[in-house]
């Protein structure tokens, strides 16, 4: 009797930001093509890949602890290969290899796309553990990738690296300089995703507003720009929601705001990390804007799109931040009444300008400022959410609630996945990916509760359009899900 050879099983743990998640999806696509089976249960895997984050101290600790937790599974005899990939690996290279003998393979952010050939090399020679290169890899529309999100949504990465040199940030050290994908390539991938059934496309990069700068610098005739990209993407009618993340405020120009206002499928959601508002702090952070310029951008958005949701984040405890400067930040938040606010306690990072500065702030002061800021924002968020009670909003259904299987869970266009709150649905039924009208009956600081009152026709297409879309889905199925 012929012996049946079973495929190897791989389990992925992807930590950090959505940009890191796309890298994990590319690794998944490559491993599926190499006949690996994907398992959601780490105990069943003979290969585990931990795609790490090395952005701030808390994320470093989480990454290392996750590797150690996964290494414990070797004691069962099932796990054979523990792979550590991603930003933390790229950033610390030799130190991590020396400090984590529990892992078998280390892959930097310049080599993750070669994971299957790397595992083959390690299989032949287990002493080959380190695989690093400059972080110059840039995906294309033909790159194998397995979408890890529910079928109705996907992330689309438009560039790698970063043009900015903020004093607190190590991203350029890890990911390198800005590399923009071509407009044609980005739009082609967006069309493939739309043809596969994706209705919510989430555009990610280290700074959306710098998209194309590097290409235009090389060729002044290059068409790559935030405005042209948005216009081309919004022409894809199958995409119901196009959401932008990570917009530096100086790039939110009047023409971009006007386009978002006019195009129905461009979500009226502005994610612009401001970091601070005091001019001395902004200069010290090497942020290239003043409070006055930031206020002008916010005013223009609210004038042109009154219903726009504005999400931001701030850093407290940056070196030299005084109580007066922190109080100015609190007053600014009270004045602007942002819809969403995140807050980081400053983490000094090696080889960054901020890490070398004097006047570092003690941890107790950082924590107090963080808690004070978030308490203020909780009150603002609670008030804003109370205004939704009695209103009917459009919601995409994400499935059974994380809290209890007695409720459905979804999101409005004002809520980005994994970042913002959710809408709990306590009355009515719907399928995952279905768009419904929900009447809001209760509110909390970050979440809403409501009942389904109507199902929305998400596409509004004719039967001939449905046939064409179905055929397109079949054409791209092998590329997106090998």
């Amino acid at each position: 009797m012929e012996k049946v050879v079973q495929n190897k099983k791989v389990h992925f743990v992807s930590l950090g930001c959505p940009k890191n998640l796309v890298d994990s999806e590319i690794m998944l696509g490559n491993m599926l093509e190499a006949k690996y089976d994907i398992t959601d249960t780490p105990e069943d895997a003979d290969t585990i890949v931990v795609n790490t984050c090395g952005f701030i101290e808390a994320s470093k600790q989480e990454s290392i602890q996750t590797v150690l937790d996964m290494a414990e599974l070797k004691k069962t005899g099932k796990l054979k290969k523990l792979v550590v990939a991603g930003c933390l690996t790229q950033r610390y290279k030799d130190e991590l290899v020396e400090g984590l003998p529990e892992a078998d393979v280390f892959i930097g952010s310049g080599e993750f796309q070669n994971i299957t050939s790397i595992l083959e090399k390690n299989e032949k020679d287990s002493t080959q553990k380190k695989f690093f290169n400059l972080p110059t890899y840039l995906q294309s529309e033909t790159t194998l990738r397995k979408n890890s999100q529910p079928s109705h949504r996907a992330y689309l990465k438009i560039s790698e690296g970063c043009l900015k040199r903020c004093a607190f940030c190590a991203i350029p050290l890890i990911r390198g300089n800005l590399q923009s994908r071509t407009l044609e390539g980005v739009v082609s991938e967006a069309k493939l995703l739309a043809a596969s059934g994706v209705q919510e496309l989430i555009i990610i990069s280290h700074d959306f507003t710098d998209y194309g700068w590097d290409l235009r610098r090389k060729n002044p005739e290059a068409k790559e720009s935030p405005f042209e990209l948005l216009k081309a993407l919004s022409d894809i009618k199958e995409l119901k929601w196009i959401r932008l993340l990570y917009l530096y405020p100086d790039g939110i120009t009047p023409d971009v705001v006007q386009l978002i206002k006019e195009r129905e499928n461009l979500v009226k959601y502005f994610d612009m990390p401001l970091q601070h508002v005091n001019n001395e702090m902004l200069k010290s952070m090497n942020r290239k804007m003043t409070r006055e310029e930031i206020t002008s951008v916010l005013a223009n958005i609210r004038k042109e799109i009154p219903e726009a949701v504005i999400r931001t984040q701030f850093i407290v405890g940056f070196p030299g931040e005084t109580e007066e400067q922190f109080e100015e930040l609190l007053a600014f938040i009270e004045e602007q009444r942002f819809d969403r606010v995140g807050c980081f306690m400053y983490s000094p990072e090696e080889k960054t300008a901020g890490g070398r500065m004097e006047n570092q702030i003690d941890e107790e002061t950082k924590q107090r400022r963080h808690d004070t800021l978030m308490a203020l924002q909780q009150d603002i968020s609670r008030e804003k959410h109370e205004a939704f009670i009695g209103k009917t909003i459009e919601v995409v259904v994400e499935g059974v609630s994380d809290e209890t299987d007695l409720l459905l869970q979804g999101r409005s266009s004002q809520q980005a996945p994994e970042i913002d709150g959710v809408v709990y649905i306590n009355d009515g039924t719907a399928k995952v990916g279905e768009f419904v009208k929900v009447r809001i009956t209760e509110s909390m600081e970050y979440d809403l509760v409501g009942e389904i009152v109507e199902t929305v026709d998400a596409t509004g297409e004719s039967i001939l359009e449905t046939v064409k879309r179905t055929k397109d889905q079949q054409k791209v199925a092998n590329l997106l899900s090998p």
Side-chain angles (χ1 to χ4, degrees):
M1 180 180 294
E2 185 177 346
K3 185 178 179 180
V4 178
V5 179
Q6 290 188 332
N7 292 343
K8 293 180 179 179
K9 291 184 177 181
V10 61
H11 175 76
F12 265 79
V13 182
S14 192
L15 303 172
C17 65
K19 296 178 287 293
N20 216 35
L21 180 62
V22 170
D23 293 348
S24 293
E25 293 176 348
I26 291 171
M27 287 190 279
L28 274 168
N30 278 271
M31 298 189 81
L32 283 168
E33 187 187 38
K35 307 303 181 185
Y36 280 80
D37 290 330
I38 309 299
T39 176
D40 293 331
T41 308
E43 290 79 9
D44 290 341
D46 44 46
T47 302
I48 290 178
V49 180
V50 180
N51 198 12
T52 61
C53 177
F55 183 49
I56 58 175
E57 188 62 30
S59 59
K60 296 176 201 174
Q61 292 178 4
E62 180 189 21
S63 294
I64 292 169
Q65 187 59 56
T66 301
V67 172
L68 295 176
D69 290 344
M70 294 298 107
E72 286 294 306
L73 297 176
K74 284 188 175 183
K75 296 177 181 178
T76 67
K78 176 73 175 174
L79 179 62
K80 304 299 183 186
K81 292 288 181 192
L82 178 56
V83 180
V84 184
C87 291
L88 188 70
T89 316
Q90 182 72 20
R91 186 174 184 184
Y92 292 104
K93 296 185 177 72
D94 295 337
E95 300 101 308
L96 210 61
V97 174
E98 180 182 346
L100 287 174
E102 295 86 352
D104 303 289
V105 181
F106 295 83
I107 304 176
S109 53
E111 283 284 353
F112 70 92
Q113 72 278 8
N114 300 317
I115 187 169
T116 52
S117 61
I118 285 172
L119 288 176
E120 288 174 7
K121 290 177 183 177
N122 179 260
E123 194 72 36
K124 294 174 182 176
D125 180 5
S126 62
T127 63
Q128 289 194 59
K129 299 181 66 172
K130 302 187 292 183
F131 298 88
F132 298 100
N133 208 334
L134 293 175
T136 58
Y137 172 73
L138 196 62
Q139 72 186 85
S140 73
E141 66 272 25
T142 58
T143 300
L144 289 171
R145 176 183 164 200
K146 170 65 177 174
N147 186 14
S148 64
Q149 301 299 289
S151 60
H152 61 276
R153 75 170 190 248
Y155 292 103
L156 179 62
K157 184 156 58 169
I158 63 171
S159 64
E160 266 295 356
C162 189
L163 179 64
K164 303 291 192 300
R165 292 296 184 267
C166 299
F168 50 80
C169 184
I171 291 299
L173 301 173
I174 303 169
R175 291 288 188 169
N177 293 320
L178 173 67
Q179 298 180 92
S180 300
R181 296 175 58 187
T182 65
L183 189 147
E184 181 181 4
V186 173
V187 173
S188 293
E189 184 177 0
K191 288 179 178 178
L192 289 172
L193 290 166
S196 73
V198 168
Q199 295 185 73
E200 179 181 9
L201 196 63
I202 306 168
I203 313 303
I204 56 173
S205 58
H206 291 291
D207 180 359
F208 173 81
T209 57
D210 276 338
Y211 169 73
W213 180 91
D214 53 321
L215 300 179
R216 298 194 305 275
R217 185 186 184 194
K218 294 176 183 176
N219 174 16
E221 302 299 319
K223 55 189 175 180
E224 283 77 10
S225 72
F227 180 86
E228 293 298 332
L229 177 59
L230 278 185
K231 188 167 72 170
L233 290 174
S234 61
D235 284 337
I236 305 174
K237 301 307 179 187
E238 295 86 355
L239 296 174
K240 184 176 178 63
W241 289 351
I242 301 172
R243 185 185 305 279
L244 306 178
L245 297 184
Y246 316 111
L247 288 78
Y248 198 92
D250 70 349
I252 306 176
T253 54
D255 62 337
V256 168
V257 173
Q258 195 64 32
L259 184 65
I260 293 173
K261 175 183 178 179
E262 293 171 357
R263 297 291 177 106
E264 186 176 346
N265 59 356
L266 295 179
V267 173
K268 284 43 177 177
Y269 180 102
F270 291 82
D271 173 37
M272 57 166 91
L274 297 177
Q275 311 307 357
H276 215 284
V277 72
N278 172 267
N279 282 333
E280 289 181 16
M281 275 288 98
L282 290 169
K283 183 177 181 180
S284 182
M285 290 177 170
N286 201 29
R287 304 286 287 179
K288 303 301 185 181
M289 290 195 80
T290 64
R291 171 176 179 154
E292 293 72 25
E293 290 168 328
I294 290 170
T295 302
S296 176
V297 171
L298 292 169
N300 184 56
I301 292 171
R302 287 173 167 145
K303 174 188 173 185
E304 296 296 331
I305 314 174
E307 73 276 19
V309 166
I310 299 177
R311 174 184 174 81
T312 189
Q313 69 182 33
F314 297 106
I315 294 174
V316 295
F318 188 77
E321 183 190 45
T322 66
E323 282 299 320
E324 290 77 15
Q325 290 166 338
F326 175 63
E327 290 295 330
E328 180 182 346
L329 176 58
L330 291 179
F332 181 75
I333 293 170
E334 180 71 66
E335 169 195 314
Q336 292 292 333
R337 305 192 73 76
F338 296 102
D339 300 274
R340 316 267 188 265
V341 170
C343 182
F344 285 103
M345 293 186 292
Y346 173 70
S347 169
E349 299 297 319
E350 309 98 301
K351 299 181 181 180
T352 63
R356 295 188 293 268
M357 289 180 180
E358 298 179 355
N359 300 321
Q360 297 286 332
I361 306 297
D362 64 88
E363 295 302 314
E364 183 179 350
T365 300
K366 292 179 190 177
Q367 188 69 60
R368 173 177 57 78
R369 291 177 182 176
H370 171 276
D371 294 348
T372 301
L373 189 155
M374 291 310 298
L376 169 62
Q377 180 57 33
Q378 271 196 339
D379 290 340
I380 294 171
S381 182
R382 186 183 299 111
E383 179 184 319
K384 282 180 169 284
H385 276 185
E386 285 174 355
F388 278 94
I389 295 177
K391 294 182 178 179
T392 297
I393 62 175
E394 189 172 12
V395 171
V396 61
V397 177
E398 303 266 63
V400 174
S401 166
D402 295 335
E403 302 297 325
T404 170
D405 57 8
L406 298 177
L407 299 174
L408 290 177
Q409 181 173 304
R411 289 180 296 106
S412 74
S413 65
Q414 297 186 351
Q415 296 165 318
E418 311 298 333
I419 299 175
D420 301 322
V422 299
V423 177
Y424 294 111
I425 300 171
N426 60 8
D427 190 13
T429 59
K431 298 176 182 177
V432 173
E434 193 170 4
F435 286 79
V436 296
K437 296 284 188 181
V438 174
R439 181 186 296 115
I440 302 302
T441 57
E442 300 175 54
S443 68
M444 294 169 276
E445 287 91 345
Y446 302 114
D447 305 315
L448 299 170
V449 182
E451 56 191 13
I452 295 175
V453 295
E454 181 186 345
T455 300
V456 179
D457 179 5
T459 60
E461 62 189 5
S462 69
I463 187 63
L464 291 178
E465 290 171 325
T466 303
V467 170
K468 180 181 182 301
R469 181 167 58 82
T470 303
K471 288 182 177 179
D472 287 342
Q473 289 174 355
Q474 291 175 343
K475 289 179 184 177
V476 302
N478 289 336
L479 180 61
L480 292 175
S481 299

